[in-house]
Amino acid sequence: MGRTRTADWGTFYVTGGGSGIGRHLAGLLAARGASVAVFDRSTPAEVRGEIERARSDVDQQVRTAEVDVCDADALAAAVAEAVAAIGAPRLAINSAGVSINDRFAEAKREDFERTVAVNLFGSRNFAAAVLPHMGTGSRLGLIASLAGITGGYTYAGYAASKAGVIGLARVLRLEYAPEGIGVSVICPPEIMTPMVRQYDATMHPATRALKDVAGTLPIDEACREMLDGLARGRFTVIPGAKARRAALMTRMLPERVTTAVADRIVARAVKSAGRNDL
């Protein structure tokens, strides 16, 4: 993989930068010379310090704003303030997201609505906040998920919201291409973040079995692949060779084949879990 081209990414905006993928991306872009604006409900002081220490030049600015992506007006105001302070974003990534998972029959309606509100409406709100400030050669990235392409056991709210993000990104790409603004959708497999580690302890065996098909990536490897794909101007960015293979199989193989394979994986996992409960 060649060195990521980030010469035009002098200003980077990211939601969910207080932890996980957003936090790691902020550090990587700061190390590559970008001023960084982080939008999150809470950004600990140690995270801001970590980003500042990663800078390649002390003149790079680091700005944080406490805001919820579900609050469209507050997010738009926070972005406008950042533009006035450090300049318009050359690269903007929506990384804020939640994953509240259970089998559909046991899942709460409120959890489904919260997941869609943060993952899908939050993507819409960030796009609406940053795109008016972005110019030719800039790029917006919306983080979806491989689950938005393949689905997943216990993932009703999550997969539905991420599929919506993919659809939103397709429309934005078409509408903003004439203005010279690139739009990408990032569809990672499982990435080792604090949110994933927390969920892993209670994950259903069928969920685990399906995730293993696409593999799990260390956060640094995943984020570097994301930035490389964005720098190459790709619309769909899928980090991880196993994940790209899983997405290709879902899109190219006959549906009867892909559903049969998935059903077999789930059946084996459910049967195995039943034996373990005896």
Side-chain angles (χ1 to χ4, degrees):
M1 184 183 299
R3 185 180 184 277
T4 302
R5 296 165 289 176
T6 57
D8 294 331
W9 293 350
T11 311
F12 175 54
Y13 285 25
V14 62
T15 65
S19 64
I21 294 170
R23 174 180 181 174
H24 202 82
L25 288 170
L28 287 176
L29 268 297
R32 294 175 181 180
S35 290
V36 175
V38 171
F39 306 89
D40 206 329
R41 290 191 301 170
S42 175
T43 302
E46 61 265 26
V47 173
R48 180 184 177 116
E50 175 186 290
I51 298 169
E52 290 176 337
R53 289 190 297 274
R55 293 175 298 174
S56 59
D57 191 307
V58 293
D59 290 334
Q60 293 168 230
Q61 299 183 64
V62 177
R63 182 179 179 86
T64 61
E66 292 191 355
V67 62
D68 192 326
V69 294
C70 292
D71 189 334
D73 292 340
L75 183 58
V79 166
E81 290 173 2
V83 170
I86 69 173
R90 297 297 295 168
L91 176 65
I93 295 180
N94 185 66
S95 181
V98 297
S99 180
I100 308 171
N101 305 308
D102 208 339
R103 290 179 68 250
F104 185 75
E106 288 87 37
K108 298 177 181 178
R109 172 180 57 82
E110 294 83 1
D111 288 341
F112 188 100
E113 292 176 351
R114 171 65 179 165
T115 301
V116 173
V118 174
N119 296 350
L120 178 54
F121 293 174
S123 296
R124 177 267 164 206
N125 293 342
F126 185 63
V130 298
L131 283 168
H133 302 286
M134 300 177 78
T136 300
S138 59
R139 181 162 293 272
L140 169 66
L142 302 179
I143 295 186
S145 170
L146 188 64
I149 298 172
T150 64
Y153 200 87
T154 70
Y155 268 28
Y158 188 75
S161 67
K162 295 300 190 177
V165 173
I166 294 171
L168 172 63
R170 289 191 182 281
V171 173
L172 295 178
R173 189 199 69 77
L174 288 168
E175 293 183 356
Y176 283 88
E179 299 183 26
I181 299 172
V183 176
S184 297
V185 63
I186 303 164
C187 299
E190 182 177 65
I191 297 173
M192 267 303 134
T193 65
M195 183 175 71
V196 168
R197 289 191 185 94
Q198 182 179 12
Y199 175 46
D200 196 52
T202 59
M203 187 180 297
H204 192 284
T207 307
R208 177 76 271 156
L210 289 171
K211 280 177 169 284
D212 288 344
V213 173
T216 301
L217 293 178
I219 192 168
D220 186 65
E221 177 183 343
C223 288
R224 289 179 187 276
E225 284 200 38
M226 289 178 198
L227 293 178
D228 184 72
L230 293 171
R232 294 173 186 272
R234 293 174 179 158
F235 170 66
T236 303
V237 178
I238 303 176
K242 291 179 70 175
R244 288 190 290 273
R245 184 166 61 247
L248 183 63
M249 289 174 62
T250 300
R251 288 166 168 163
M252 302 300 292
L253 291 179
E255 185 177 289
R256 60 183 175 80
V257 174
T258 57
T259 54
V261 170
D263 287 348
R264 189 176 302 116
I265 292 170
V266 169
R268 287 176 178 172
V270 170
K271 184 177 181 180
S272 176
R275 287 198 302 267
N276 291 338
D277 289 340
L278 295 178

